[in-house]
Amino acid sequence: MSVLLDIRDLKTYFYRRDGVVRAVDGISYAVYGGESVGIVGESGSGKSVSMLSIVKLIGGRGKIEAGEVCFGGRNLLALEEKALRDVRGNEIGFVFQNPQTSLNPTMRSGPQIEEPILWHGRADRKQAFDRAVSLLEEVGIPAPSSRYRNYPFELSGGMKQRVMIAMALSCEPRLMIADEPTTALDVTTQAQIVDLMNRMKAAYGMSTVLITHDFGLAVEFSDRIVVMYAGRVAEIAPTPAFLNAPRHPYSIGLLENAKMVRGRLNTIPGLPPDMTRPPSGCRFHPRCARATDLCREKVPEMSRVSEDHTVFCWHIEG
């Protein structure tokens, strides 16, 4: 497989009065053509910020400090805003975390799907209308011609998420990024959305990145797992290897969290660090039973378990 997205030493910081938040602090990994990658980790680990950074959608006090993001042979971070607009929504589609706030409440659903098609000059208005209705049907919304005219408040949470997916697919992107696409949905609707995304990935032959803290969702959807902790990558592994033989203590702890023993969930001791004052060395060391002086003093180098399984830990042998 060829590399579609190559992230190299990406750093994104937020400058606040109480200090600098190192939200993403030197991450590197690739997404290959046609594959699904799941990015997992606790809230605040940098998952969403890293994906917003690749198309420079960091606002407010945020600043991309360093790194390269190569997509289709171009470094996206070096592009001017006009050139980036041609990438956003066209070559890279986004399904944002909360459709309740991501959809425009003053616009009907259909025209919101049409908007990127028209913006990127993919079709005229009649063709864009036909494409929007077709996409509504494709993502499983009944009576699409009628639902085209519905405002977001007239749709259920699951239907709003389907509209978001239709918008992301409208220009047939090469990469789709879905940020917590099943948040606030019931279990049955979550399963339907995951099934829909799998079918759309197969139908369009695109690569997908799923950002989630739900391990069941990540495992069901992804070919590879990227584990993030405190702004850095902890482990990258094919899904079977991640499930059967995780090597980073944090990855092991996250999987143990999903198990219930004698009616209780296992938990990782301690709390995620204050990212304005992150720990020295390995950022997981204050919560790690394996930690040594080396972990406290030096940032872990990459250890290769196999050709496609890498871990950032000084003690992967356990």
Side-chain angles (χ1 to χ4, degrees), residues 12 34 58 117 120 170 178 181 196 222 237 241 269:
T12 301
I58 299 299
I117 302 172
H120 293 292
S170 60
L196 170 63
S222 307

Side-chain angles (χ1 to χ4, degrees), residues 6-12 26-28 64-70 75-78:
D6 191 4
I7 300 173
R8 304 171 186 170
D9 198 29
L10 178 64
K11 297 181 180 181
T12 301
I27 68 168
S28 300
I64 299 170
E65 290 287 356
E68 292 184 359
V69 176
C70 295
N75 178 11
L76 298 184
L77 301 185

